[in-house]
């Protein structure tokens, strides 16, 4: 089985540097251009099914990519971004000002120990993402290729879980907007073909 894992394209709040979480923010105009560039790159790929988080920024990215293939997008709510509680809508600087530098430093370096008011437990979030991914994979044959559009933190924790690493590793799997990673499974073995690949964005205006 082959998984094409995509982080949604740039949203309005990505452009402003704000934490989004479960807040449903649409793509920016640049984000739509990023999604079209990725759709063009994947136009010739064999894709058997397309899944996306229910949040608009992921669903719209998936719809743009799926369009050349004439495919529908299956919405999977379990793929949604982490709930950032009272941090949602704030920039990093605003989080530090309101909740303290130590709280933000803990989130950045040891997220399992982070306490985000009103937010989701990090390990529980990782469990949710892994469960959603496993559920999707279980619906398909081993010879199929699946396109899955989700969120930055979701892809980061899933990378850790695939590699059977501690969740502290999550920044190793950081994804830019509209970046893709490709995972190939062969029996019980797994390998990343690419991680955080954004070559398709090289010709876009800054």
């Amino acid at each position: 089985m082959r998984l094409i894992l995509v982080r949604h394209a740039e949203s309005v709040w990505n452009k402003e540097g704000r934490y989004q979480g479960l807040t449903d923010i649409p793509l920016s105009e640049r984000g739509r251009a990023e999604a079209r560039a990725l759709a063009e790159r994947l136009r010739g790929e064999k894709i058997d099914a397309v899944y996306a988080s229910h949040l608009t920024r992921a669903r719209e990215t998936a719809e743009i990519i799926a369009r050349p293939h004439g495919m529908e997008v299956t919405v999977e709510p379990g793929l949604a971004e982490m709930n950032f509680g009272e941090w949602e809508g704030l920039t990093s600087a605003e989080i530090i000002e309101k909740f303290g530098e130590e709280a933000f430093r803990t989130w950045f370096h040891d997220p399992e120990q982070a306490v985000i008011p009103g937010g989701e437990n990090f390990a529980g979030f990782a469990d949710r993402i892994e469960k959603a991914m496993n559920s999707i994979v279980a619906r398909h044959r081993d010879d199929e290729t699946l396109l899955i559009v989700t969120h930055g933190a979701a892809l980061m924790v899933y990378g850790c879980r695939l590699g059977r690493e501690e969740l502290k590793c999550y920044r190793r799997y950081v994804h830019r907007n509209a970046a893709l990673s490709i995972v190939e499974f062969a029996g019980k073995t797994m390998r990343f073909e690419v991680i955080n690949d954004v070559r398709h964005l090289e010709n876009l205006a800054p």
Side-chain angles (χ1 to χ4, degrees), residues 19-113:
Y19 275 64
Q20 298 171 104
L22 297 182
T23 307
D24 200 6
I25 304 299
L27 295 180
S28 65
E29 285 306 311
R30 176 183 171 82
R32 294 187 179 95
E34 290 175 346
R36 290 193 294 269
L38 181 51
E40 188 59 32
R41 176 175 176 178
L42 295 175
R43 178 183 292 271
E45 287 281 339
K46 170 187 176 290
I47 296 175
D48 296 291
V50 181
Y51 290 87
S53 155
H54 71 289
L55 295 170
T56 300
R57 57 193 186 271
R59 181 177 46 77
E60 185 177 1
T61 300
E63 288 170 350
I64 291 170
I65 297 169
R67 199 167 294 141
H69 298 269
M71 301 183 73
E72 296 293 323
V73 175
T74 299
V75 170
E76 184 67 43
L79 295 172
E81 181 60 291
M82 179 173 164
N83 179 356
F84 284 102
E86 293 181 26
W87 289 15
E88 295 192 12
L90 302 180
T91 64
S92 298
E94 290 168 341
I95 291 169
I96 291 170
E97 180 180 0
K98 187 172 182 180
F99 298 97
E101 188 171 348
E102 183 60 32
F104 189 75
R105 186 184 297 115
T106 300
W107 156 248
F108 201 88
H109 294 291
D110 193 4
E112 285 187 90
Q113 304 306 315

